[in-house]
Amino acid sequence: MKSAVVLFAGVGSTLVMTAFSEAIALVFRKPFHVVTILAIMLPFKKNSESPGTLMYSIATVVHYFIGVIFAFAYSLQLSERLIINDWLSAFLYGGIIASVAVISWRIFFWIHPNPPPIELKNYLLTIWGGHIILSLTMAGIFRLFPLS
């Protein structure tokens, strides 16, 4: 049961974060589609081409797998009583994982031979906000389905 809750928290909160990013992309008319950007960048090619179905699938799995890892890390901290599952702890955890995500994306754009031409600063702000949303959603799921 515990594993199912962690999996649900990871996938569910990643889904909400992705919806947040898509909403930002729609409202501001920016190409901030995380899975699409990941699908374009994962092959690490100099010539950027439209990714195929396989690359979109891989990008989606990678994206959601990372969300599950964040949920597992959060649940481990809860189980070890390193944090309590309140909104402040979730916000702080979100700030930490958001910073990790922003640094990771920044490095990825820096080392990639031909990253997509997007407004990186605004994209990274969207990523940061999305991870706060992810963490708060995760905390809500763990409140609905306590691990102990």
Side-chain angles (χ1 to χ4, degrees):
M1 174 65 173
K2 194 179 203 181
S3 296
V5 172
V6 172
L7 183 63
F8 176 65
V11 171
S13 60
T14 303
L15 181 65
V16 172
M17 175 187 66
T18 305
F20 167 79
S21 297
E22 290 297 321
I24 293 294
L26 182 67
V27 169
F28 292 104
R29 298 172 197 234
K30 301 290 181 188
F32 294 166
H33 311 288
V34 178
V35 173
T36 301
I37 293 170
L38 194 54
I40 291 167
M41 292 181 68
L42 276 177
F44 238 81
K45 294 181 179 176
K46 273 191 171 194
N47 300 332
S48 84
E49 53 193 47
S50 183
T53 304
L54 177 62
M55 196 47 62
Y56 273 111
S57 299
I58 291 170
T60 301
V61 168
V62 167
H63 182 61
Y64 281 87
F65 180 71
I66 292 169
V68 171
I69 289 172
F70 285 148
F72 175 74
Y74 190 81
S75 73
L76 189 61
Q77 293 176 66
L78 287 174
S79 297
E80 295 296 321
R81 300 191 192 289
L82 298 173
I83 61 172
I84 57 175
N85 192 25
D86 64 355
W87 300 117
L88 178 60
S89 294
F91 184 80
L92 293 173
Y93 181 73
I96 292 167
I97 64 173
S99 297
V100 168
V102 164
I103 290 167
S104 299
W105 272 107
R106 183 64 191 102
I107 291 170
F108 196 21
F109 270 82
W110 181 58
I111 65 173
H112 197 279
N114 188 21
I118 63 169
E119 295 174 18
L120 190 56
K121 180 181 174 185
N122 291 332
Y123 178 68
L124 295 177
L125 285 171
T126 302
I127 293 296
W128 200 88
H131 282 80
I132 299 295
I133 300 291
L134 174 129
S135 187
L136 293 171
T137 303
M138 199 181 312
I141 291 170
F142 285 132
R143 287 175 82 99
L144 286 173
F145 304 101
L147 296 171
S148 53

